[in-house]
Every structure is written in C-alpha cells, then in structure tokens.
Amino acid sequence: MDTTYFFSAFGTFGNPYGFRQSFFLGGNRNIAKEIRTYDLKTDAIKLFPQSSIYSIRKDFAGDCNLISYAVYKFAKEQNSDRGGTFIGSSLLFIDKIASESLVINTLNDFQDQLEKNNLSEGTIAVNHSDNFSIRKPKDFDKIGFNVREMEDLNFTRATQNYLVIYCETNPAQLQNFFTKALDLLNVYDTLYFTQSHEIAEFVKQKGIFKIVDTGGFNKEIEKFHEERIREVQNAVADLKKEKVNLKEEKTQLMDDLRKQVERNEKKHQENEVKIQESKTGIDLISREYEQYAEKIDTVIRNLESDGKVETAKKRYLEYKKTLINTISQNKNIESLDSISSFNTRAGNSRENRPYGNDLAEFNKGRRNHEEKEFRLDVFKVLTFVLSLLLILVVTGYFVFLDAGKLFQISL
C-alpha cells in the first residue's frame, strides 16, 4: 500500500550480505528503490558497544521530497567480532512531516520491538533485513492524523555535507534538536545526534564529518538565520528590480503591439475579427502584467514577514511561468504577422505597383499605357481595312463568274 509515511529496518549482517535495509508498514516501491541506504560511513562515524546514534536527513526519490528520522543501536553480527556493527530503523515521510514528539516516540517504540524480536544476547539473530520480525508501533496510526506540510526546504540541492551533534538524546532534548534541525537541512544532507563520548571522540579524530556540541549547534542555527536574512534581503531587492523592469517592459511591449495592430487596421480594414482578437490579446497581457505586479507585491510581503526564501522562489516561478505563458499565447499574433509580412512584400513588389510611388514612375506608366492603347487602335483599323478588301474581292469574283455564264449562254 502507498502511504505518506513508512518504516525502514536495517542492519549489518556480515557475510555474505553485509548491510541490508527493508521497508515495512506502507511505502512506495518506486520510491523505496531510489532511497539512499542508511549505512554508516564507518571511517567517519562509528558505533561502539552500548551506544546509539539518531539522525535526520533529507532525500529526493521517485520525484518526491522525503524527510527521514533514524536511530542506530550497536549490535553484533553472527560469527563476527568486528566493531561498528548495528541494527537500526527509520521513519520516512513523503512530502509531509509530523510533530517531533510523535516521531521520536513512534521511532523508539519500533526500534525497541525490532531489537527485542531480532537480537539474541546483543547479536543479530537473522541474516537479512527481509527476515526481520517487526511490530507496528502503538502510535503508528496517529501519525496520519498529525502530518503537516514541509516548509521552505531545498531538496534538489545535495550538499554532501554532514554534521554530528554531541548532545543529550533523551526524548525531551531530542525533540528540541529535531525541531531546530529542519532549517539546517538546507545546509547539511544529514545531521547525526549522539551522547556517546566515544563516538564523538572518534568523529573528531577522523575529521571527515564536522562535529559540534550543543553550543556549536546553536551557532549553526544562528549562522543559518543570518544567511537567510541576507537571502531574503537579496530576494526582495531582486523582486523590486523586477517590478521596475516590468513597467518598462510592459510599456515597450504595449507600444509595439499597438503599432502592429494599427498597421493591420490601416492595411486590412476588412479583417475586423482578427484585429479584435489582437486587441483582446493585448488586454489579456496588460491584465496579466498588472496581476503579476500585484503577485510580486504579495511575495515581497510574505517574504519580509516569514522569511521563507524557497517558498517565495517557488511562488515567484509559478507566477512568472503564468506571465510568460500568457505573453507567449497572445503576443505573437500569427494572423496579423503573416498578413503584415505578406503585404509588406507585396507593397515592395513592382508587379503589384504598376505606376510606382513617384510622379515620374506614374507618368512613365501612363505613357506606356497610352502607347499600348494606340497600338491596339491601329491594329483594329488595319483589321477593318483588310476585312473590307477581302469582301470586295469575293464579291467581284462572283460578279465576274456570273457575267461569264451569261456570255456563254448568249453565244
């Protein structure tokens, strides 16, 4: 079945499978096959006995935005004594999130049952995540009634940055950290939280992932908010500049379109239907520009009040797309352009201008016309004369023939 949230259970299983993860209690197969694994980069962060790690990360899979909350617990593999092995679970959300307290309680409940049903004296008892025995958390169904939209997160930009926070991870403290951490997902792909001193020392020594304590985490939040303020200011400035350019663009476009319509009216008064369509297109564009300007004002007000840059960008692009579509559909008036182009070519053609544009060409054309008429009159006269001669010859022939017959009879 497809839901807006579901669980993943994972672990390290040694030979021959290594790390494996499986999905339970809903989900979408197309999304699941594109989700990054929850395996840990053990040369950067590593679990130790009696230790745990929580994480929150963003993903983009199956054309969907995902937020996932995960927990890792140290567990041994069968027939292996290597370190850094674990069993874990993750609660994934598609285009939604739920309250942090509900997420933490449900995730911990699922993880507790996962360990209870699949560990034997601290060792993973199965050889593949598909074989995990799981149980639905008691508050699982409550999540569906408490989901909300994710706000102002950039999911398309993968930063390849990871932050480890050394802090207390009891539910009350973790809830506070998870709430603040959402903003930092614009900067980091994954945030890890652990209260294990051993894990923190390991991360610090390796130097691959950035690690901070609670104070450093708060500074990261402050730094992000300062950067966001600058982004808001820059975005507002760009939108105001866009509005100024918009007025100039509108004036120029309106002038060009009106001139085009005037040319078509002058050359083709009979084409009133097409001209009316052109005027309607101009009105649509004019109204769209006015509406677009008002929408920019709305985006500016919202951006100045809530500081949500990604949301502002999304709305701005939607409004811009509508403006561009309206202009594209109405500014290139095919009927008028084709008529205008045809008549321009026709107007410049000598074949369609028998007398030209100036007096000399007109007189020359008139003389040629008169000469043609004169030659035509001479031809008519000659034809008449020849016809008359032919009639006389024929008449004379018959007269002569009759006279001969009379002469013979008299003889």
Side-chain angles (χ1 to χ4, degrees), residues 65-272:
N65 299 325
L66 285 84
I67 292 289
S68 59
Y69 301 85
V71 56
Y72 300 77
K73 294 289 185 69
F74 179 84
K76 293 182 179 181
E77 296 173 342
Q78 296 182 35
N79 304 317
S80 173
D81 291 325
R82 74 187 184 101
T85 55
F86 55 86
I87 186 173
S89 56
S90 176
L91 176 55
L92 298 89
F93 290 90
I94 304 173
D95 296 322
K96 306 281 184 179
I97 53 174
S99 68
E100 285 72 18
S101 60
L102 183 57
V103 167
I104 293 169
N105 291 337
T106 309
L107 181 63
N108 283 338
D109 188 5
F110 184 86
Q111 177 69 20
D112 290 343
Q113 293 299 319
L114 182 68
E115 294 178 37
K116 179 180 179 181
N117 296 332
N118 299 280
L119 292 184
S120 176
E121 297 181 355
T123 301
I124 301 176
V126 297
N127 61 4
H128 196 290
S129 58
D130 288 346
N131 300 323
F132 275 147
S133 174
I134 63 101
R135 182 181 67 80
K136 180 189 289 189
K138 61 181 180 180
D139 291 334
F140 180 80
D141 293 329
K142 290 183 180 180
I143 297 175
F145 299 102
N146 292 276
V147 292
R148 67 179 190 273
E149 297 290 335
M150 292 182 285
E151 297 182 354
D152 216 32
L153 278 180
N154 187 339
F155 285 86
T156 59
R157 182 179 63 187
T159 66
Q160 300 300 316
N161 293 328
Y162 303 87
L163 181 66
V164 180
I165 300 95
Y166 177 49
C167 61
E168 293 184 31
T169 57
N170 61 73
Q173 292 292 334
L174 198 59
Q175 177 182 345
N176 181 48
F177 288 125
F178 275 6
T179 301
K180 294 181 178 179
L182 286 175
D183 282 340
L184 287 184
L185 288 178
N186 286 296
V187 182
Y188 299 96
D189 287 340
T190 305
L191 304 174
Y192 295 102
F193 303 85
T194 184
Q195 64 183 22
S196 168
H197 181 74
E198 285 183 288
I199 295 176
E201 283 296 322
F202 180 86
V203 173
K204 183 178 180 181
Q205 290 175 7
K206 293 297 181 180
I208 298 174
F209 290 169
K210 183 176 181 179
I211 183 168
V212 295
D213 57 12
T214 301
F217 176 74
N218 290 329
K219 288 181 180 179
E220 289 283 333
I221 298 294
E222 292 174 3
K223 180 181 177 182
F224 169 77
H225 287 163
E226 291 173 358
E227 181 62 30
R228 178 49 56 90
I229 290 173
R230 285 192 291 270
E231 289 184 8
V232 170
Q233 292 172 344
N234 292 336
V236 169
D238 289 341
L239 288 171
K240 288 182 177 180
K241 183 178 179 181
E242 169 78 6
K243 190 176 179 182
V244 172
N245 294 336
L246 188 69
K247 182 178 180 180
E248 297 175 356
E249 181 182 332
K250 175 186 174 182
T251 300
Q252 183 62 49
L253 183 58
M254 292 298 100
D255 184 58
D256 291 343
L257 290 174
R258 287 192 180 96
K259 288 180 179 178
Q260 181 67 30
V261 172
E262 289 172 1
R263 287 193 293 268
N264 282 280
E265 286 179 331
K266 183 178 180 179
K267 295 178 181 179
H268 296 279
Q269 292 296 330
E270 72 279 6
N271 200 1
E272 291 296 335

Side-chain angles (χ1 to χ4, degrees), residues 220-329:
E220 289 283 333
I221 298 294
E222 292 174 3
K223 180 181 177 182
F224 169 77
H225 287 163
E226 291 173 358
E227 181 62 30
R228 178 49 56 90
I229 290 173
R230 285 192 291 270
E231 289 184 8
V232 170
Q233 292 172 344
N234 292 336
V236 169
D238 289 341
L239 288 171
K240 288 182 177 180
K241 183 178 179 181
E242 169 78 6
K243 190 176 179 182
V244 172
N245 294 336
L246 188 69
K247 182 178 180 180
E248 297 175 356
E249 181 182 332
K250 175 186 174 182
T251 300
Q252 183 62 49
L253 183 58
M254 292 298 100
D255 184 58
D256 291 343
L257 290 174
R258 287 192 180 96
K259 288 180 179 178
Q260 181 67 30
V261 172
E262 289 172 1
R263 287 193 293 268
N264 282 280
E265 286 179 331
K266 183 178 180 179
K267 295 178 181 179
H268 296 279
Q269 292 296 330
E270 72 279 6
N271 200 1
E272 291 296 335
V273 173
K274 293 180 179 179
I275 291 174
Q276 186 58 45
E277 291 175 353
S278 303
K279 292 179 177 179
T280 301
I282 291 175
D283 292 336
L284 287 173
I285 293 174
S286 179
R287 287 196 298 271
E288 189 61 35
Y289 269 104
E290 294 170 359
Q291 293 173 5
Y292 181 61
E294 294 174 359
K295 291 174 181 177
I296 288 182
D297 285 336
T298 301
V299 172
I300 291 174
R301 289 194 298 271
N302 291 339
L303 187 57
E304 289 176 333
S305 64
D306 60 21
K308 297 177 181 179
V309 174
E310 295 299 327
T311 300
K313 289 179 180 178
K314 180 179 179 181
R315 290 175 180 169
Y316 165 74
L317 291 175
E318 291 174 353
Y319 298 152
K320 187 72 172 181
K321 182 179 179 181
T322 301
L323 174 67
I324 292 172
N325 287 340
T326 301
I327 292 174
S328 299
Q329 293 171 6

Side-chain angles (χ1 to χ4, degrees), residues 388-406:
L388 183 60
L389 288 175
L390 180 60
I391 293 171
L392 291 174
V393 169
V394 173
T395 302
Y397 170 77
F398 283 106
V399 170
F400 178 79
L401 181 62
D402 291 340
K405 289 180 177 179
L406 290 172

Side-chain angles (χ1 to χ4, degrees), residues 279-388:
K279 292 179 177 179
T280 301
I282 291 175
D283 292 336
L284 287 173
I285 293 174
S286 179
R287 287 196 298 271
E288 189 61 35
Y289 269 104
E290 294 170 359
Q291 293 173 5
Y292 181 61
E294 294 174 359
K295 291 174 181 177
I296 288 182
D297 285 336
T298 301
V299 172
I300 291 174
R301 289 194 298 271
N302 291 339
L303 187 57
E304 289 176 333
S305 64
D306 60 21
K308 297 177 181 179
V309 174
E310 295 299 327
T311 300
K313 289 179 180 178
K314 180 179 179 181
R315 290 175 180 169
Y316 165 74
L317 291 175
E318 291 174 353
Y319 298 152
K320 187 72 172 181
K321 182 179 179 181
T322 301
L323 174 67
I324 292 172
N325 287 340
T326 301
I327 292 174
S328 299
Q329 293 171 6
N330 294 281
K331 77 170 184 177
N332 295 324
I333 308 168
E334 283 191 20
S335 59
L336 296 184
D337 286 344
S338 60
I339 291 171
S340 177
S341 299
F342 174 81
N343 285 332
T344 299
R345 292 193 301 270
N348 291 331
S349 173
R350 286 292 183 90
E351 295 178 358
N352 293 300
R353 293 187 294 118
Y355 301 133
N357 289 327
D358 54 31
L359 183 61
E361 289 188 353
F362 174 80
N363 290 332
K364 180 180 177 181
R366 185 173 61 180
R367 286 196 300 270
N368 291 338
H369 184 66
E370 291 174 350
E371 289 173 2
K372 289 180 180 178
E373 290 183 347
F374 175 76
R375 287 195 297 269
L376 183 61
D377 291 339
V378 172
F379 176 76
K380 289 180 179 179
V381 171
L382 290 175
T383 301
F384 175 78
V385 172
L386 290 174
S387 299
L388 183 60

